[in-house]
Amino acid sequence: MIVVLTGSLMILNTACSGRAATPTAAPTAGPVPSAAVSAPPTASPSAGTGPSGPPFTGTVTAATAADVPKSWRAGCPVGPDRLAVLRLSYWDFDGRPRVGTLIAHRDVAAGLVTVFETLYRERFPIRRLDPVDAFDGSDDASMAADNTSAFNCRRAVAAGAPTWSEHAYGRAIDVNPVENPYLFDRRVLPPAGSDYVDRANRRPGMAVPGGILVTAFAKAGWSWGGEGRSHPDYQHFSTSGK
């Protein structure tokens, strides 16, 4: 992995050969924070032979308020200057290589590049990879579209007093929400995930114990919400375990 830091731009290039929630209100206008970013610590990608197709490439650049017009607003626990824009290769469910965009906290960006490099090498399918702003900041709409996303300044979907979701810090990611639903209070989020409540029926795109998705995130120090929970959140990975 090569890290290049030039002014406000940080690029991580890696290559491998061959082988639920209430919609967020629109943000209020505010100043655009500085785009300066410090290079986060990097981890060496795991060894192995990748899939035939284009080499994996991950890039990380500083985020600004223009990158999160619907998912961020004044009063959120982190500002855009603490976020990064990741451009990541992935394989879709039709076996086609694509490049998508993820918004996350800049401190976890390098680790996410390593995770996605592993998923790309192992051909783990991802339905789509777009910022939640593509869905007007609505977590419900993003989940319904089976979209994988990270940052979204919203409250946690949980019992008890309202608290910020880990997504509001850019330190959580939901992967393939339909194949990996959140089971909360007798609800299945998103509703289309009802077909995947039976976790013994393993199919492409699912997060399962010992599977490549869960393993890749565990190696990067992320926790999975799908085991040992009264309300299993199969799509959810976070750095805090929340």
Side-chain angles (χ1 to χ4, degrees):
M1 181 179 292
I2 301 173
V3 181
V4 180
L5 179 62
T6 307
S8 62
L9 175 65
M10 177 179 63
I11 302 178
L12 288 82
N13 287 324
T14 63
C16 52
S17 61
R19 215 206 106 80
T22 303
T24 303
T28 56
V32 177
S34 168
V37 163
S38 298
T42 62
S44 299
S46 56
T49 303
S52 61
F56 173 87
T57 299
T59 67
V60 179
T61 58
T64 70
D67 294 306
V68 287
K70 300 295 181 65
S71 60
W72 177 84
R73 62 188 181 279
C76 291
V78 298
D81 61 316
R82 304 297 296 175
L83 302 173
V85 180
L86 289 74
R87 293 283 290 166
L88 301 164
S89 299
Y90 68 96
W91 294 91
D92 68 16
F93 276 73
D94 293 320
R96 295 174 297 192
R98 296 185 177 275
V99 176
T101 301
L102 196 68
I103 307 292
H105 197 285
R106 67 185 190 181
D107 290 350
V108 303
L112 283 171
V113 171
T114 299
V115 169
F116 272 80
E117 183 186 24
T118 299
L119 300 181
Y120 187 78
R121 183 177 63 249
E122 299 296 331
R123 282 184 175 266
F124 180 85
I126 293 174
R127 186 75 62 185
R128 59 186 297 177
L129 187 64
D130 292 310
V132 75
D133 287 271
F135 304 90
D136 291 328
S138 169
D139 185 51
D140 289 334
S142 180
M143 286 194 298
D146 206 12
N147 181 55
T148 294
S149 66
F151 174 76
N152 190 6
C153 183
R154 62 174 177 82
R155 300 293 183 177
V157 182
T163 59
W164 286 116
S165 165
E166 290 299 288
H167 291 279
Y169 299 89
R171 297 181 180 275
I173 181 172
D174 291 339
V175 181
N176 292 343
V178 171
E179 288 76 16
N180 301 299
Y182 179 24
L183 309 184
F184 178 73
D185 229 8
R186 297 185 179 181
R187 290 183 290 164
V188 179
L189 304 172
S194 295
D195 291 340
Y196 292 86
V197 171
D198 179 5
R199 306 307 289 179
N201 182 13
R202 297 187 176 187
R203 285 161 284 174
M206 291 175 61
V208 296
I212 186 60
L213 181 63
V214 173
T215 300
F217 273 101
K219 286 182 177 179
W222 291 59
S223 297
W224 180 41
E227 280 191 313
R229 310 289 180 101
S230 57
H231 302 290
D233 194 352
Y234 297 111
Q235 65 196 254
H236 186 78
F237 296 84
S238 70
T239 57
S240 67
K242 298 178 182 178

